[in-house]
Amino acid sequence: MENFVLSCCSTCDLNKKYLEKRNISYLCFHYFLDGVEHVDDFGESIPYKEFYKKMVDGATTKTSQINVETYFEYFEKFIKEGKALLHLTLSSGISGTFNAATIAKNMILEKYKDAKIYVIDSLAASSGFGLLVDRLADLRDEGKTLDEVAKYCEENKLNLHHWFFSTDLTFYVKGGRVSKTSGLIGNMLHICPLLNVNNEGKLIPREKCIGTKKAISATLSKMLELANNGTNYNEKCLISHSDSLDIANRLASAIEEKFPNLKGKIMINDIGTTIGAHTGPGTVALFFWGKKREE
């Protein structure tokens, strides 16, 4: 088996134990809470519930992407050990981290002429990013080469679907994704916007659902429409949420009822502090494999 490192960052919204179990390396984003810098460390230093409570109580949040120097030092560590590297970044549609990682990769290749390193824009986020990395770990463990895994990633990453909704628009307003007027009316009417990640890796509003029940139903409908093999879907399915476990469990139950052949139980993860700093509490996201994203 070829000796190469599969790597991502903390915005994959899996968890530390799972990444270690799957032998997936990672590095962490940073965020600021009321001006104090913290590591996005899968909720270890500040538990997720505490983080989201602080947001509700009025704490200011700001995120910091990984810079070129940090990427270079991280990549160089593996290259010095004689290992090849495949690193996936958070979608370029929502972050500049792919550009920083690419610059660092080129610096590595200038310094180490024989280095073998791929940096790939996942065009994914949260546990969708995680689901993609998990699939690549499967291929690696099956004995695929670095080149084969990288080629598969580029050819198949747009078959990964992200559909999500929020029951609270407060932090979408604060982040400028929703106007103050729309946010006020939306919260009053219990509007839950349904969004997805498009083929450019950007977040796009698709529908407006009135109430959580209809939002769950609309999300389920997207999987029924788009998933590989329809209700015979037999691959993994992940859900992530920001302090909304009850709603995430309701969505998982609805999916498991309609898709009896899922590969294992649906994994439910927390939305980490980097992405959660923008969504706030109340967001629930579904990830699965299906038809190619083309718009």
Side-chain angles (χ1 to χ4, degrees):
M1 184 181 297
E2 185 179 8
N3 181 25
F4 73 91
V5 175
L6 177 61
S7 172
C8 64
C9 63
S10 58
T11 53
C12 68
D13 287 350
L14 294 174
N15 61 67
K16 184 177 180 180
K17 185 177 180 180
Y18 189 83
L19 290 170
E20 290 174 349
K21 178 183 176 182
R22 298 244 50 197
N23 192 25
I24 299 170
S25 298
Y26 62 88
L27 47 89
C28 296
F29 273 59
H30 286 226
Y31 68 96
F32 294 84
L33 193 61
D34 280 337
V36 178
E37 186 173 10
H38 300 274
V39 179
D40 179 8
D41 57 2
F42 305 102
E44 288 198 343
S45 57
I46 297 181
Y48 292 124
K49 286 193 76 67
E50 181 180 339
F51 171 76
Y52 288 116
K53 184 178 185 305
K54 286 180 181 293
M55 290 187 73
V56 171
D57 290 343
T60 60
T61 56
K62 181 181 177 182
T63 56
S64 175
Q65 69 182 40
I66 301 164
N67 61 33
V68 173
E69 181 181 2
T70 301
Y71 270 123
F72 180 85
E73 292 175 354
Y74 175 75
F75 294 161
E76 187 178 41
K77 174 183 66 175
F78 298 115
I79 301 303
K80 282 183 173 180
E81 294 172 355
K83 297 176 181 177
L85 176 68
L86 170 56
H87 180 78
L88 271 69
T89 72
L90 177 64
S91 172
S92 61
I94 58 177
S95 169
T97 190
F98 172 66
N99 289 333
T102 300
I103 292 169
K105 178 197 77 171
N106 292 334
M107 290 168 61
I108 288 288
L109 293 174
E110 287 180 9
K111 185 174 181 179
Y112 301 93
K113 303 301 182 184
D114 296 328
K116 191 166 186 180
I117 177 171
Y118 284 92
V119 170
I120 295 179
D121 180 358
S122 72
L123 297 177
S126 191
S127 292
F129 182 10
L131 186 56
L132 176 59
V133 174
D134 186 72
R135 172 64 63 84
L136 301 189
D138 288 340
L139 296 174
R140 177 205 60 198
D141 294 348
E142 290 169 8
K144 301 294 185 184
T145 66
L146 170 60
D147 291 340
E148 289 172 330
V149 175
K151 184 173 185 290
Y152 176 92
C153 184
E154 291 287 19
E155 292 178 348
N156 292 275
K157 62 187 180 183
L158 289 180
N159 292 98
L160 180 66
H161 285 265
H162 313 56
W163 288 92
F164 59 100
F165 60 89
S166 181
T167 60
D168 185 349
L169 301 180
T170 302
F171 296 95
Y172 287 80
V173 173
K174 285 187 176 182
R177 296 188 182 278
V178 175
S179 71
K180 289 184 178 180
T181 301
S182 296
L184 177 63
I185 295 172
N187 281 334
M188 287 176 60
L189 298 178
H190 303 291
I191 292 175
C192 301
L194 180 68
L195 304 89
N196 82 327
V197 174
N198 72 357
N199 61 340
E200 296 179 341
K202 298 177 180 178
L203 309 182
I204 306 296
R206 298 297 186 183
E207 298 178 17
K208 293 180 180 178
C209 306
I210 306 296
T212 303
K213 184 176 180 180
K214 289 188 176 179
I216 290 173
S217 177
T219 306
L220 174 62
S221 294
K222 292 301 180 182
M223 188 167 176
L224 288 167
E225 174 189 352
L226 299 167
N228 287 337
N229 300 315
T231 53
N232 291 317
Y233 181 82
N234 60 358
E235 301 172 71
K236 290 182 181 179
C237 175
L238 272 62
I239 290 173
S240 63
H241 70 95
S242 54
D243 199 26
S244 302
L245 181 58
D246 177 64
I247 300 173
N249 281 327
R250 287 164 59 189
L251 176 60
S253 295
I255 291 169
E256 287 169 350
E257 181 179 346
K258 292 291 186 180
F259 297 88
N261 299 316
L262 290 170
K263 185 176 181 180
K265 282 190 66 66
I266 295 174
M267 183 190 298
I268 299 178
N269 302 302
D270 291 283
I271 292 177
T273 47
T274 296
I275 294 174
H278 299 281
T279 69
T283 293
V284 176
L286 169 67
F287 311 98
F288 59 90
W289 293 96
K291 299 174 184 177
K292 187 174 181 179
R293 286 149 42 199
E294 295 183 338
E295 62 176 340

